[in-house]
Amino acid sequence: MDFETRAIHDGQEPDPATGAVSVPIYQTSTYIQEGVGEHKGYVYSRSRNPTRVALEECLASLEGAEHGLAFSSGMGATTTIMQLVSPGQRVVCVNDVYGGTYRLFDKVLKGHGYGFEYVSVDDLNERPADVVPDGTRLVWLETPTNPLMNVVDVRAVAEAAHAAGAIVVCDATFTTPYLQRPLEQGADIVLHSTTKYLGGHSDVIGGFAATSDPELGERLRFLQNSLGAVPGPFDAWLVLRGVKTLAVRMRQHCENARRVAAFLAEHPAVELVRYPGLESHPQHAIARAQMDDFGGMISFDLAGSRDDAFAVLRSTKVWRLGESLGGVESLIEHPGLMTHASTADSPFPVPENLVRLSVGIESADDLIADLEQALAQVPAAVRASSG
Ligand SMILES: *Cc1c(COP(=O)(O)O)cnc(C)c1O
C-alpha cells in the first residue's frame, strides 16, 4: 500500500469491542488478569499500551521498519538509544546538531566518561572512513542539520561506519518518513522528535525510534521499559492523529518553503539562504539523491547585525516568534539565543545573524508579504554594503 494509506490505516484496525473507527485512548495504567499470568498481552502501561502500540505500528510501517518504539519526547528517545553505548566507547557526532542533543552529550554523558568526536558535514560526506575510525561504537547523524541545514550523505557514512563496526543513528526529524527513509539508506536506527512534523500541530511532546535489526529492536524495547521514557496514551493518540495528514501537510510545507526560499534568495537584506532545495546549496546534489523533496525548514543569514535580526523577529505578524518547528503554523526564531543557546560555548556556535524559519501551511502569499514588511527593518545602508 502507498504511504498515504498506511499513515491512515496501519496499526489502526477498528476497535474490536465497539467498532470505533478512531483508535481509543486506552487511559489505563494496568490490566486485569483472569488468573496469574493469564492476560491479553497487556500487563502494565509502561511496558505496553494499545494506543501506543497503534502509533508504534503505524510509524514503523511508514519507516519500512520491523520495530517501532514511541517515547515521551525526542530527548527521551535519544537518552534511551544512548544506553546502547557504554562509557569509554567512542561516539562520532555530526557537529551541527540539535542543541538539546549536544547538551545531553556534552553536559551529561561526557561527565560519565563517554567520548564524543564532533565532525563536520563536509568531513563526513567527503572522507567518512577517516572520521569514523575502527572501534567506533555509534555514529550520530542529523540531516538536514539543525539549524544550518547541511545535508549528510547517509549512504556514504553508513557504509564507512559499518566497515568500522559502528551503528548509525539518524535523527530524521526534519524530513519525516514522507521525504526520507534513512533505514533504506543504511542507517541502523532512525529517530524523530514527533513533537515536530509527525504530531504537526504544536500540541504534544513526543519521540520515536525505529530499527529493522532484531537485536537492536529487542534491546531498545527492553530499554524503553527499563528507562521508562514512554508517552501517555493521550499523547500517543495526538501523534497518531497528526500522522494521518502527514503527507498532505508535508506537500504544502515543501511547496511553501520553495516559494519562501526563492523570495529570500532575491532579497537584498538577506546574505545567504540555507535551503537544500536551492541549486546554490552546497549539498544540493546529495539532497536531491536521498530526499523526495526538500522539506519546510529554511535558515538564512541576515545582511546585518544581531540587533537587525532582533528587529526583524519583532516585526513579523503571521510568523510567530517561538522555538520548535514542524507545526501547521509558521514560526521564526533566532537559533543563537533560542534553540541553540546551549552550543554558544561549543567549537561550533551558530552565526549571530542567523534566522531560522519553520514554514507552515498558511498561504505562501501571506507568509512572503509578512517577511517582506519585516525585512524592511534592515537599514538600507546595510543592504547596500552586503552586495
Ligand atoms: C526538537 C528536536 C529534538 C528533541 O525533541 P523533543 O521532542 O523536543 O525532546 C531532537 N532533534 C531534532 C532535530 C529536533 O528538532
Side-chain angles (χ1 to χ4, degrees), residues 34 43 47 61 71 108 157 165 180 189 220 232 254 260 274 289 292 294 313 322 336 376 379:
E34 323 264 297
V43 173
S47 314
S61 162
F71 292 94
V108 181
V157 175
Q180 184 172 349
I189 299 172
L220 286 173
C254 292
V260 169
R274 302 169 187 264
D292 295 329
F294 303 106
L313 292 170

Side-chain angles (χ1 to χ4, degrees), residues 75 78-79 81-82 91-94 97-112 114-118 138-141 169:
M75 292 316 300
T78 302
T79 302
I81 290 168
M82 287 308 291
V91 175
V92 171
C93 179
V94 61
V97 73
Y98 173 69
T101 305
Y102 177 72
R103 181 174 53 206
L104 172 69
F105 289 0
D106 191 66
K107 305 283 192 293
V108 181
L109 295 177
K110 198 175 87 180
H112 294 308
Y114 290 75
F116 293 95
E117 304 276 343
Y118 297 94
L138 186 147
V139 178
W140 190 278
L141 302 181
V169 180

Side-chain angles (χ1 to χ4, degrees), residues 72-76 78 98 100-101 142 144 146 171-174 191-196 204-207 324-325 356:
S72 55
S73 65
M75 292 316 300
T78 302
Y98 173 69
T101 305
E142 198 178 298
N146 183 2
D171 181 341
T173 298
F174 275 25
L191 160 106
H192 293 281
S193 166
T194 58
T195 311
K196 315 295 168 53
V204 64
I205 298 285
S324 200
L325 59 105
R356 190 186 76 179

